[in-house]
């Protein structure tokens, strides 16, 4: 099915193919999981499908709210058609509660609510391990213009407000998440749109009652039960039904070299 398509790019968790029309791209969600800049790798059967379906659900709602995204439509359970954008080389992290690298960096206890939501920028560069950068670096090196940073921050806050409410309504606390943006060129116009994905791979999601982790930290921290946790997120969002069969096999650990 996919072999005759032209592959544009293969990342750690997704493959991009040329789309059916100019200006479109097909995103294929792989079952591969990586952490710590791909030092840790595994194939977790069913993860790609769950991420595609959860991301489709969220991007559709964001589009409906007037937050522009690259998403056009899903093609099948694992693939979606999106608009071709020029990716801005930044990972935008929005945090509501201290966890992960922020907790380590500032010596905060994981789970401490932050005084307000905090936006961080990392320069998207695997060889450098995605270092954190400031607006000064971003504008000085020309990765994004000041007006683009304003647009990105404004959209990030709106996305955080929407996601916080969406997850709270299904008993999930949105701790933090990472998003990416791209430049969409239409005729002579350019605008910034949300790109990439929003899924349990790119968010921290904790059950509000038990504090159970329902995200990729289960893989990063060798906790197991990743597919079951992602399935629970999908079930609570109403994407998959209670009795839908889990599409999974045991996670295979793949040695990195
Ligand atoms: P961090 O605490 O490790 O900096 O992660 C912050 C958020 O960003 C968390 O929700 C996980 C997500 N994230 C990614 O999606 N990709 C990455 O490469 C990293 C490091 C974090």
């Amino acid at each position: 099915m996919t072999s005759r398509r032209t592959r544009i790019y293969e990342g750690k968790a997704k493959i991009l193919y040329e789309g059916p029309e100019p200006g479109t791209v097909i995103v294929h969600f792989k079952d591969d999981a990586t952490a710590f800049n791909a030092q840790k790798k595994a194939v977790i059967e069913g993860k790609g499908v769950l991420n595609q379906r959860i991301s489709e659900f969220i991007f559709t709602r964001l589009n409906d709210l007037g937050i522009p995204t690259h998403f056009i439509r899903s093609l099948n359970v694992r693939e979606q058609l999106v608009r071709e954008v020029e990716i801005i080389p930044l990972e935008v992290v929005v945090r509501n509660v201290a966890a992960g690298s922020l907790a380590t960096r500032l010596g905060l206890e994981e789970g401490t609510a932050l005084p307000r939501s905090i936006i961080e920028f990392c320069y998207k560069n695997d060889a450098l391990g995605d270092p954190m950068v400031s607006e000064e670096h971003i504008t000085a090196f020309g990765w994004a213009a000041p007006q683009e940073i304003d647009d990105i921050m404004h959209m990030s806050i709106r996305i955080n407000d929407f996601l916080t409410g969406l997850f709270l309504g299904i008993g999930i606390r949105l701790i933090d998440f990472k998003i990416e943006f791209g430049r969409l060129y239409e005729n002579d116009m350019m605008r910034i749109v949300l790109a990439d994905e929003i899924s349990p791979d790119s968010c921290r999601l904790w059950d509000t009652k038990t504090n159970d982790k329902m995200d990729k930290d289960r893989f990063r921290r060798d906790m197991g039960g990743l597919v079951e946790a992602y399935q629970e997120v999908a079930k609570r969002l109403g994407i998959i039904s209670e009795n839908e069969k889990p599409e999974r096999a045991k996670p295979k650990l793949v040695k990195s070299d």
Side-chain angles (χ1 to χ4, degrees), residues 84-150:
E84 183 178 30
V85 298
E86 180 183 279
I87 289 286
I88 293 172
L90 296 174
E91 300 209 335
V92 180
V93 175
V94 183
R95 301 182 183 271
N96 300 307
V97 175
S101 70
L102 178 74
T104 307
R105 214 183 310 132
L106 300 186
L108 300 168
E109 193 181 335
E110 281 210 316
T112 314
L114 298 171
R116 61 172 174 80
S117 303
I118 294 174
I119 300 179
E120 295 174 348
F121 298 106
C122 295
Y123 176 45
K124 219 172 124 64
N125 184 315
D126 279 343
L128 300 175
D130 301 337
M132 194 159 113
V133 293
S134 72
E135 291 184 46
E136 281 284 286
H137 300 102
I138 298 168
T139 51
F141 292 108
W143 299 324
Q147 179 60 52
E148 293 179 325
I149 300 176
D150 280 357

Side-chain angles (χ1 to χ4, degrees), residues 91 93 95 99-102 130 176-178 201-204 220:
E91 300 209 335
V93 175
R95 301 182 183 271
S101 70
L102 178 74
D130 301 337
D176 56 32
F177 61 97
K178 185 268 296 181
D201 264 12
S202 57
C203 300
R204 283 199 176 91
R220 296 189 190 96

Side-chain angles (χ1 to χ4, degrees), residues 1 9 26 30 49 67 113 118 133 135 215 219 230 245:
M1 266 273 279
Y9 176 79
I26 295 168
K30 298 193 284 183
V49 168
I67 296 170
I118 294 174
V133 293
E135 291 184 46
D215 57 62
F219 171 69
Y230 286 27
K245 265 262 175 291

Side-chain angles (χ1 to χ4, degrees), residues 24-83:
T24 64
V25 171
I26 295 168
V27 183
H28 175 103
F29 286 69
K30 298 193 284 183
D31 282 338
D32 300 19
T34 67
F36 314 116
N37 209 5
Q39 288 176 59
K40 179 172 177 167
K41 293 185 205 174
V43 175
I44 302 178
E45 238 169 272
K47 179 177 82 79
V49 168
L50 285 160
N51 280 347
Q52 194 289 125
R53 293 178 73 176
I54 293 169
S55 200
E56 169 199 22
F57 179 92
I58 293 172
F59 274 60
T60 302
R61 265 141 202 88
L62 291 172
N63 275 338
D64 291 348
L65 282 177
I67 296 170
T69 82
H70 73 162
F71 181 81
I72 302 171
R73 64 188 155 86
S74 292
L75 297 172
N76 55 61
V77 290
R78 208 178 262 286
E79 295 180 323
Q80 48 187 237
L81 185 68
V82 305
R83 289 188 199 290

Side-chain angles (χ1 to χ4, degrees), residues 9-24:
Y9 176 79
E10 178 155 2
K12 286 177 286 202
K14 296 189 285 292
I15 307 173
L16 305 184
Y17 296 97
E18 265 179 15
E21 295 133 39
T24 64

